[in-house]
Amino acid sequence: MEKDVFDLFHKQWGLVSAGSINHFNCCTVSWGSLGVLWNKKIVTVYIYPSRYTYEFMKENEYFTVCFFPESYKSSLAILGSKSGRDTDKVKIAKLSPIECGNSVSYKEAELTYYCKKIYSGFFDKNLVDDEIKHYYQNNPKSFPKSEDGDWQTHMMFVGEIIEVIKR
Ligand SMILES: Cc1cc2nc3c(=O)[nH]c(=O)nc-3n(C[C@H](O)[C@H](O)[C@H](O)COP(=O)(O)O)c2cc1C
């Protein structure tokens, strides 16, 4: 393997995008997995329901996970701290969106996984380890409570890799 998958997500960070070129949103992710499921090569990302990107991930059948050269780390920091709900953060981050099948990639991306959503769902809260539960509960700024006032988990989105684009 050319890259360490752990470094790819945890250190390099990825950008998850969903929607059409005229109406999409994206956010930085450092939690993600690459693997095999149901005999398909997959990427799994975990998106918290308060993110604007979550709405696009729910609505769209396709999404991308993009990785960038180190020089774009500051762009990823912007995309991971501002919300597309109230800013044109892609412009602020100086990225150039391009059409990628039924989704969006970026001219600046060095690696894009174009994915078809094949599963999405919350974790069963009853089965989440106490340490993780407390992590959610003790970080209300990052993880706001759900409308019913209770803690919630990220939603898991499993994408079948349809195409890998390297530049
Ligand atoms: C390094 C980094 C990693 C992040 N990883 C995730 C993640 O894996 N899942 C997630 O839901 N949010 C993650 N976030 C938070 C979102 O990127 C952030 O809340 C973003 O502003 C949401 O934008 P949106 O409202 O336009 O979707 C991360 C942020 C940073 C800076």
Side-chain angles (χ1 to χ4, degrees):
M1 200 187 255
E2 289 167 31
K3 293 205 183 224
D4 183 316
V5 62
F6 298 103
D7 285 352
L8 194 61
F9 277 102
H10 210 209
K11 291 197 179 143
Q12 189 174 344
W13 307 342
L15 187 66
V16 171
S17 308
S20 68
I21 191 79
N22 296 319
H23 183 59
F24 72 95
N25 200 62
C26 58
C27 76
T28 302
V29 293
S30 59
W31 294 1
S33 325
L34 281 168
V36 178
L37 178 65
W38 302 316
N39 291 332
K40 296 173 186 296
K41 291 183 181 175
I42 54 138
V43 182
T44 305
V45 289
Y46 308 91
I47 305 295
Y48 200 70
S50 64
R51 322 292 188 231
Y52 190 39
T53 305
Y54 171 83
E55 297 175 25
F56 289 78
M57 291 294 283
K58 292 258 293 182
E59 276 163 23
N60 289 280
E61 201 184 344
Y62 292 86
F63 65 90
T64 62
V65 185
C66 299
F67 296 92
F68 296 82
E70 181 63 29
S71 54
Y72 288 94
K73 204 73 189 267
S74 57
S75 301
L76 291 174
I78 292 168
L79 297 163
S81 55
K82 294 184 182 300
S83 179
R85 261 195 206 97
D86 33 62
T87 47
D88 187 352
K89 63 177 183 174
V90 175
K91 199 172 172 187
I92 298 169
K94 297 196 169 67
L95 290 189
S96 322
I98 49 173
E99 214 161 50
C100 178
N102 292 315
S103 191
V104 171
S105 178
Y106 305 85
K107 274 188 192 161
E108 296 82 4
E110 61 180 9
L111 173 64
T112 299
Y113 292 107
Y114 175 57
C115 302
K116 180 178 186 287
K117 191 171 69 181
I118 56 171
Y119 178 83
S120 59
F122 287 111
F123 292 86
D124 183 335
K125 291 202 292 181
N126 296 314
L127 302 178
V128 175
D129 185 88
D130 276 351
E131 183 196 334
I132 308 301
K133 177 181 165 180
H134 294 138
Y135 176 71
Y136 277 107
Q137 291 174 329
N138 295 332
N139 288 291
K141 241 184 133 186
S142 299
F143 308 125
K145 288 181 175 165
S146 65
E147 276 171 17
D148 63 11
D150 205 357
W151 72 287
Q152 55 188 339
T153 72
H154 285 66
M155 183 172 277
M156 175 197 303
F157 291 94
V158 180
E160 175 186 359
I161 300 172
I162 304 294
E163 201 180 345
V164 182
I165 304 145
K166 291 181 186 171
R167 283 200 195 85

